[in-house]
């Protein structure tokens, strides 16, 4: 009789765990030549617990690694955005105050500010979706 899978496993992981449990039980039954003994049940339970523990360790390592990657990319995205916005402020200031004869047409300044704003908002939208993914519904 398969045990119920924990709520934090996906459907594929739960199916794989069930298949592993069944194959371990089948192997234990084959070894005991049809005679059910308490020793074979203990072996099966120990192997199932070992498989579950190893699976949880791998899942934890994967989540920890992904967290580290996300922290690095979030910092890089913040630096890129700050450089981008400072560049926009500098160019608009130069054009507005006519620094050393620097002039841009009004339409060019409007297009520059608009496209930059849209790009920054888009970057943060995709970064936020990646950093904070929506939980899957079961």
């Amino acid at each position: 009789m398969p045990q119920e899978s924990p709520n934090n496993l996906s459907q594929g992981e739960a199916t794989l765990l069930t298949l592993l449990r069944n194959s371990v039980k089948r192997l234990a039954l084959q070894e005991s030549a049809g005679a059910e003994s308490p020793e074979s049940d203990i072996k099966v339970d120990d192997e199932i617990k070992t498989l579950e523990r190893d699976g949880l360790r791998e899942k934890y390592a994967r989540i920890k690694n992904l967290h580290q990657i996300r922290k690095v990319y979030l910092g890089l995205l913040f630096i890129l955005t700050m450089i981008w916005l400072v560049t926009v402020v500098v160019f608009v200031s130069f054009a507005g105050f006519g620094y050393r004869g620097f002039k841009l047409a009004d339409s060019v300044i409007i297009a520059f500010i608009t496209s930059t704003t849209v790009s920054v908002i888009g970057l943060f939208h995709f970064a936020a979706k990646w950093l904070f993914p929506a939980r899957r519904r079961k």
Side-chain angles (χ1 to χ4, degrees):
M1 172 189 310
Q3 298 176 352
E4 291 183 16
S5 63
N7 291 336
N8 60 350
L9 294 179
S10 69
Q11 183 67 26
E13 290 171 336
T15 304
L16 180 62
L17 188 60
T18 303
L19 289 173
L20 286 172
R21 284 180 183 152
N22 292 339
S23 64
V24 168
K25 286 180 182 179
R26 194 175 326 120
L27 287 173
L29 288 174
Q30 288 174 355
E31 286 179 4
S32 65
E36 301 234 357
S37 68
E39 292 176 6
S40 66
D41 288 341
I42 291 172
K43 285 182 186 178
V44 169
D45 289 340
D46 288 344
E47 289 186 35
I48 289 172
K49 287 179 183 177
T50 302
L51 288 172
E52 288 174 346
R53 187 176 50 243
D54 291 344
L56 289 174
R57 281 185 184 149
E58 288 178 19
K59 187 175 183 179
Y60 172 74
R62 186 174 55 237
I63 290 170
K64 186 177 178 182
N65 187 28
L66 185 59
H67 179 70
Q68 292 298 325
I69 291 170
R70 286 177 175 171
K71 282 181 13 179
V72 168
Y73 278 104
L74 181 62
L76 293 173
L77 179 64
F78 178 75
I79 291 169
L80 172 69
T81 304
M82 292 309 295
I83 290 171
W84 200 334
L85 292 176
V86 167
T87 304
V88 169
V89 169
V90 167
F91 273 89
V92 171
S93 298
F94 281 1
F97 293 116
Y99 182 75
R100 294 191 182 195
F102 187 82
K103 297 233 182 224
L104 290 175
D106 290 343
S107 60
V108 173
I109 293 174
I110 291 170
F112 185 60
I113 293 171
T114 305
S115 64
T116 302
T117 304
V118 170
S119 298
V120 168
I121 290 172
L123 271 174
F124 271 105
H125 171 75
F126 287 117
K129 284 235 181 227
W130 182 60
L131 287 171
F132 308 105
R135 298 199 185 269
R136 295 180 192 166
R137 295 182 184 173
K138 291 185 179 183

